[in-house]
Amino acid sequence: MMKQGFRYYLKIYGKILVQNIKSKMSYRADFFISLIGIIFVNLSGFITFWIIFKNVPSLLNWSYYEMLFLYGFSLIALTPVQCFFDNNWNLLTYVFSGDFIKYCFKPLNLFFYYISEIFDIKGIGQLVVGITVLSYSWTNLGLDFSLIILVKLIIALVSASLFMISITNFAAASSFYILNSAYFVMMLSNKFKDYAKYPITIFGGALRIIFTFIIPIAFMAYYPSLAFLSNKEATFLTYFTPVYGITFFYLSYKFWMFGAMKYNGTGS
Amino acid sequence: MNRIIEFENITKEFKILNRREGLKGSIKDLVSKNYSVIRAVNDISLSIGKGEIVGYLGPNGAGKSTTIKMMTGVLEPTSGTIAVNGKIPYKNRCQNARNIGVVFGQRTQLWWALPMIESLKILKDIYQVSDEAYKSQLALYESIINVKPLYNKTVREMSLGQRTLCDILAAFLHNPSVIFLDEPTIGLDVSMKSKIRHLIKELNARQKTTVILTTHDIGDVDALCERIIIIDKGSMIYDDTAGNLKKYFGAYRTLKLKIKGEYILSDIIQALELRFLNQTSMVVRTSEEWISILSKEDEAPIMEILMFMQGFILINDIKIEEINTEDIIKKIYEGNI
């Protein structure tokens, strides 16, 4: 990947992205319906959340607004995977039909070329809901805000987003290895993101270890959030989030590429 | 002549897990070490020069895709040496991909949601084609076919024929030294087929691009290829000019007879078999009211068959046809030669 240079890839990704957005915009009705659709999906998720918290005032010392903070944070952190990595969901079909081979003929990094093909604009709706919820809880918790905090927040969000991206990479790449059960793996991985919205402390010992180190969904909202909530203690893992995020993403990329190289396509 | 592709004793083997039946079997398969080795390509040597159009034929499962995948750098051969443009393709897939173009009949490589011209612009950047080269390439396309109306159409809106056409144009954009066309005319109507053939022929002639064409449509071969390579069961069984194909496999001719009155086909076949016992290559078929007998001239001369047939049936009309490429290839696939 590095041989062609980072700028080369950035330029190409930019072009593809602009074209993708343009073409999405040209289907105006489709664009607005899907945008409104995903806002409603997230709102209904939010309403469920709200109803639960009207009945349970706090969960293991987590107040309503703190839970809301986690919720908003995770929605924003899940936006990149939705927007930029959506083609992972089609990988199983491409591998199954043998169409994946077509990605091998361009002088581009396979992972880059494959992922760049689809941009899912629906994620923007999620981002809007996420930002609204996060700002709402932020003000109600009376948290400080400054430029430095904003930079910290962006770093935290970007690192957190890497985890869901990596989990999706791992799940999708499993189709290179276990074609028949990859669908199950993908469905399962998608379920994990729902758990990310809760403090990891509600889970028991074994699950907590799994969700921290093996399927690290606790990093999608819980650990990074601790750095911003005033009456919570940030732990070592909070500051470890960016490092672990990058490492985990790198591992998922290697796993994906190794699978792709191993895959020879079906006969045609 | 400039050698574009060199294959020397290329063999490719695949390790295939011997799958067991049923659920219990598939659970056992998870830990199974019971592999068998399948030889998909067996000791193939070939050399393809600049500007050639090579028809690469073979029945389904003969090893065509495997060979193409090795040429494009997707697969590494088990043994043998391979060079495309003097370089080893699998050692550097990306580098190799800059010098080749690939078109799969039914799998478009353009961006589905983008207008064709935008796809071309992205490809221009991917392959780092200069502005002048890009402009002159488009001018060349416009001089061969009426492509302008397609520029602003998205691939999704195109017919299969238009899509294939655009795929071919996209593959030629960076002026690669070799183009792989995998069944470019599959599923297309007659006029679109001839358009595509014309396009390939023109681009090959003007840019001296080597074209490797795999197809099951003999029309493509007749229209485009000077040279034919046939592989079957992983081995090369023919590599020569298209013209020599007919000579090489003997003077086959088809005798067509229209018979007066009722007849029973199986009786005729039986009588012919009795008379020309040694002729394993003879094929008898019927279509509407015609009976056609394909035979090799030096084994069973047409005149002899005609005289023999006249002996016991009344013939209304006769036609004699030279064998066409399709029949020859069919016979090769069936192993009759």
Side-chain angles (χ1 to χ4, degrees):
Chain A
M1 183 163 185
M2 285 304 129
K3 245 183 210 157
Q4 304 267 17
F6 186 63
R7 279 183 57 195
Y8 168 80
Y9 277 104
L10 203 65
K11 185 176 158 203
I12 287 173
Y13 193 82
K15 289 233 167 161
I16 296 175
L17 189 66
V18 168
Q19 284 307 324
N20 263 327
I21 294 175
K22 259 209 267 181
S23 80
K24 287 273 159 58
M25 299 288 205
S26 67
Y27 296 93
R28 239 181 305 174
D30 187 58
F31 172 69
F32 283 116
I33 290 169
S34 58
L35 205 64
I36 292 166
I38 199 141
I39 288 180
F40 270 101
V41 167
N42 282 297
L43 277 184
S44 69
F46 173 68
I47 288 167
T48 321
F49 183 84
W50 184 74
I51 291 169
I52 293 173
F53 260 86
K54 279 292 124 181
N55 298 305
V56 189
S58 78
L59 188 65
L60 293 170
N61 291 326
W62 281 71
S63 72
Y64 170 67
Y65 286 113
E66 284 169 338
M67 287 295 288
L68 213 52
F69 185 96
L70 279 190
Y71 190 84
F73 189 95
S74 73
L75 280 187
I76 301 173
L78 288 172
T79 303
V81 74
Q82 176 90 37
C83 283
F84 303 111
F85 293 82
D86 208 47
N87 214 18
N88 260 333
W89 283 95
N90 305 321
L91 186 63
L92 179 63
T93 327
Y94 281 116
V95 169
F96 196 79
S97 65
D99 282 353
F100 183 76
I101 191 86
K102 76 174 189 188
Y103 296 99
C104 304
F105 300 135
K106 291 268 151 56
L108 292 174
N109 174 281
L110 265 181
F111 180 72
F112 170 84
Y113 179 32
Y114 182 77
I115 292 300
S116 71
E117 200 182 41
I118 300 279
F119 171 74
D120 185 13
I121 206 158
K122 286 200 294 294
I124 305 285
Q126 186 170 319
L127 185 67
V128 170
V129 175
I131 291 176
T132 313
V133 171
L134 190 71
S135 336
Y136 176 68
S137 64
W138 195 288
T139 13
N140 278 288
L141 286 168
L143 300 175
D144 297 336
F145 196 77
S146 68
L147 194 63
I148 294 167
I149 293 178
L150 181 68
V151 172
K152 248 170 83 179
L153 184 65
I154 290 170
I155 293 174
L157 283 166
V158 170
S159 328
S161 73
L162 287 173
F163 288 93
M164 193 58 205
I165 292 169
S166 313
I167 289 176
T168 318
N169 282 346
F170 272 118
S174 69
S175 18
F176 292 126
Y177 304 89
I178 41 159
L179 192 51
N180 296 315
S181 28
Y183 181 72
F184 171 72
V185 176
M186 294 231 47
M187 293 322 276
L188 192 69
S189 76
N190 200 38
K191 279 275 153 258
F192 287 135
K193 70 176 183 206
D194 297 335
Y195 298 142
K197 293 168 183 143
Y198 299 95
I200 190 74
T201 41
I202 67 166
F203 298 106
L207 272 181
R208 202 183 299 181
I209 290 170
I210 290 175
F211 286 156
T212 302
F213 295 107
I214 299 166
I215 309 162
I217 54 170
F219 289 94
M220 281 182 217
Y222 175 75
Y223 287 122
S225 293
L226 295 180
F228 303 96
L229 297 170
S230 48
N231 67 341
K232 295 277 179 293
E233 280 292 312
T235 68
F236 164 71
L237 290 171
T238 304
Y239 298 104
F240 184 58
T241 310
V243 179
Y244 193 32
I246 292 167
T247 315
F248 200 56
F249 176 75
Y250 180 75
L251 289 177
S252 75
Y253 164 76
K254 281 287 166 193
F255 182 73
W256 201 101
M257 284 299 275
F258 187 76
M261 289 304 171
K262 195 172 121 348
Y263 170 77
N264 298 323
T266 54
S268 62
Chain B
M1 204 193 316
N2 216 335
R3 294 284 150 212
I4 299 291
I5 296 177
E6 298 265 18
F7 260 46
E8 242 173 87
N9 308 102
I10 289 290
T11 294
K12 176 73 194 173
E13 286 169 346
F14 290 106
K15 247 165 84 178
I16 304 271
L17 184 67
N18 294 321
R19 297 200 179 274
R20 277 168 273 219
E21 277 177 36
L23 183 64
K24 233 172 129 185
S26 47
I27 291 167
K28 275 185 191 165
D29 279 346
L30 288 176
V31 291
S32 168
K33 291 246 168 4
N34 184 12
Y35 290 102
S36 55
V37 171
I38 290 183
R39 186 167 281 204
V41 170
N42 184 17
D43 195 24
I44 286 188
S45 299
L46 52 83
S47 164
I48 293 167
K50 191 170 171 58
E52 278 193 85
I53 303 189
V54 179
Y56 193 49
L57 315 177
N60 293 320
K64 291 194 302 277
S65 310
T66 310
T67 343
I68 300 279
K69 281 176 195 167
M70 287 192 282
M71 291 175 184
T72 51
V74 179
L75 278 184
E76 184 181 343
T78 311
S79 66
T81 54
I82 175 170
V84 175
N85 295 306
K87 293 192 197 94
I88 302 167
Y90 60 87
K91 284 262 170 74
N92 198 338
R93 183 189 60 84
C94 274
Q95 201 68 46
N96 186 53
R98 294 200 161 266
N99 296 314
I100 64 170
V102 183
V103 177
F104 274 135
Q106 288 173 311
R107 302 168 180 177
T108 183
Q109 294 184 67
L110 299 167
W111 283 265
W112 198 247
L114 304 189
M116 139 92 164
I117 193 78
E118 300 298 343
S119 278
L120 291 184
K121 281 183 193 157
I122 295 174
L123 288 173
K124 170 182 179 290
D125 283 334
I126 290 178
Y127 290 99
Q128 294 163 317
V129 179
S130 71
D131 288 341
E132 305 93 77
Y134 177 74
K135 265 186 208 146
S136 76
Q137 197 69 359
L138 289 197
L140 172 67
Y141 292 167
E142 284 155 21
S143 74
I144 300 172
I145 48 161
N146 184 21
V147 63
K148 271 193 174 154
L150 293 180
Y151 280 166
N152 290 314
K153 245 184 167 182
T154 64
V155 178
R156 167 200 327 261
E157 295 164 338
M158 288 182 188
S159 69
L160 178 62
Q162 292 171 329
R163 223 165 71 198
T164 314
L165 208 94
C166 291
D167 256 315
I168 293 172
L169 297 179
F172 272 92
L173 189 73
H174 55 294
N175 198 2
S177 60
V178 54
I179 290 256
F180 299 92
L181 300 172
D182 187 24
E183 307 208 34
T185 60
I186 193 166
L188 304 184
D189 67 56
V190 189
S191 100
M192 203 65 204
K193 270 185 190 178
S194 87
K195 245 189 211 168
I196 297 239
R197 284 168 192 160
H198 171 69
L199 177 67
I200 297 169
K201 192 142 206 158
E202 281 296 309
L203 287 172
N204 161 265
R206 303 215 198 167
Q207 305 206 297
K208 293 275 161 282
T209 315
T210 304
V211 177
I212 314 274
L213 174 78
T214 62
T215 184
H216 291 293
D217 186 333
I218 302 309
D220 293 346
V221 178
D222 283 336
L224 294 170
C225 308
E226 301 118 44
R227 176 174 167 196
I228 293 177
I229 293 173
I230 303 177
I231 70 165
D232 192 15
K233 297 185 190 77
S235 301
M236 196 153 76
I237 54 178
Y238 182 84
D239 178 10
D240 206 337
T241 63
N244 272 349
L245 191 66
K246 290 178 192 178
K247 270 187 253 164
Y248 191 84
F249 293 108
Y252 277 90
R253 286 208 276 186
T254 306
L255 174 65
K256 288 192 160 186
L257 303 171
K258 207 186 225 173
I259 290 168
K260 210 174 194 171
E262 294 291 311
Y263 62 90
I264 301 162
L265 182 67
S266 59
D267 285 354
I268 294 172
I269 293 173
Q270 214 174 11
L272 278 168
E273 272 177 0
L274 274 173
R275 171 68 179 77
F276 302 96
L277 262 180
N278 53 337
Q279 299 345 311
T280 48
S281 55
M282 186 183 280
V283 179
V284 183
R285 269 177 301 190
T286 51
S287 57
E288 290 166 35
E289 67 258 39
W290 292 90
I291 299 179
S292 54
I293 303 159
L294 176 69
S295 123
K296 205 170 177 178
E297 194 63 16
D298 50 354
E299 288 172 350
I302 291 285
M303 286 312 289
E304 223 167 276
I305 300 172
L306 187 60
M307 257 141 57
F308 170 70
M309 295 289 280
Q310 249 183 332
F312 66 101
I313 46 178
L314 277 173
I315 295 169
N316 239 358
D317 199 357
I318 65 164
K319 266 198 257 182
I320 294 173
E321 284 174 1
E322 295 295 324
I323 191 170
N324 53 31
T325 322
E326 181 156 13
D327 279 327
I328 295 177
I329 285 167
K330 199 168 156 223
K331 290 184 82 63
I332 295 171
Y333 288 1
E334 286 163 358
N336 282 343
I337 285 176

